[in-house]
Amino acid sequence: MSKPRKRYRPKSVNLNVLALAGIGQAKLTQADQDERTRPPRLALEQITKGQASQADWQAIFDVINMLDRFVRMPTVMRHGKDYLSTIQNVVCAILDRQKATGTKALYPSELEDLRGLVELWAELLATVTHREYATAEERAHSRLLSVLRAKNPVQGVRVCNI
């Protein structure tokens, strides 16, 4: 005896498909860029003053995590793995030193590296589309969740505690 067939339920049709596709292909607007560059810029100001909070460092890590995803998208950013590795080491060295000594001072080279990171972020946002940004954001979020949920350390990932 077979099961009765499910009732037919037509799926709704999105009449704005072309508009949505066009938005996905459009570059980020200046307002979108400003909105996404504001947190790391403010964080950099706080870091240079020695008044950085956990939220400020989180803004820097969010940029690093997004860049990590953009590096894996060859249409967006090529040849950035070495730079990304270097900047991750710089940020972790700053945080490790702050924990060990309690000082929040930065070396001039570290400050320049952080400024370069924020400037690179601003330049990159001027070139990406809404779709590319959304894809990278989704992948960065899922990667972060998988790393945090992992019982054993994930190979090639360093978790810095703030």
Side-chain angles (χ1 to χ4, degrees):
M1 191 168 200
S2 64
K3 293 183 180 180
R5 293 180 64 181
K6 289 184 180 178
R7 235 179 135 176
Y8 173 72
R9 296 178 194 252
K11 294 183 180 182
S12 61
V13 175
N14 189 346
L15 300 176
N16 293 327
V17 170
L18 292 176
L20 290 173
I23 290 171
Q25 293 300 321
K27 302 271 187 218
L28 293 175
T29 64
Q30 188 60 48
D32 291 332
Q33 294 172 36
D34 292 343
E35 179 184 326
R36 288 166 174 86
T37 57
R38 189 174 303 115
R41 287 188 194 278
L42 294 175
L44 182 60
E45 286 180 26
Q46 294 300 98
I47 291 168
T48 57
K49 294 176 187 176
Q51 301 172 349
S53 66
Q54 183 176 358
D56 295 323
W57 284 108
Q58 187 61 49
I60 297 296
F61 280 114
D62 289 344
V63 169
I64 292 172
N65 290 336
M66 285 292 288
L67 287 176
D68 180 54
R69 296 295 101 186
F70 281 136
V71 164
R72 298 172 194 288
M73 298 169 74
T75 58
V76 178
M77 187 175 174
R78 294 179 189 213
H79 312 297
K81 289 181 183 180
D82 293 336
Y83 171 77
L84 196 59
S85 176
T86 302
I87 199 69
Q88 287 172 339
N89 290 336
V90 167
V91 171
C92 288
I94 292 169
L95 292 174
D96 290 343
R97 188 176 62 249
Q98 286 182 359
K99 282 183 195 170
T101 64
T103 183
K104 295 192 175 194
L106 298 177
Y107 295 122
S109 62
E110 294 171 338
L111 184 56
E112 284 304 310
D113 288 338
L114 289 176
R115 283 186 180 141
L117 173 69
V118 173
E119 289 308 312
L120 173 67
W121 179 242
E123 290 173 14
L124 185 68
L125 288 179
T127 65
V128 299
T129 64
H130 285 275
R131 177 177 292 127
E132 291 167 339
Y133 187 86
T135 301
E137 188 175 40
E138 180 183 315
R139 290 177 182 172
H141 181 72
S142 63
R143 172 79 169 154
L144 179 62
L145 287 178
S146 69
V147 167
L148 293 176
R149 289 180 182 157
K151 294 181 182 178
N152 298 326
V154 178
Q155 185 178 11
V157 174
R158 180 171 178 197
V159 178
C160 294
N161 294 323
I162 303 171

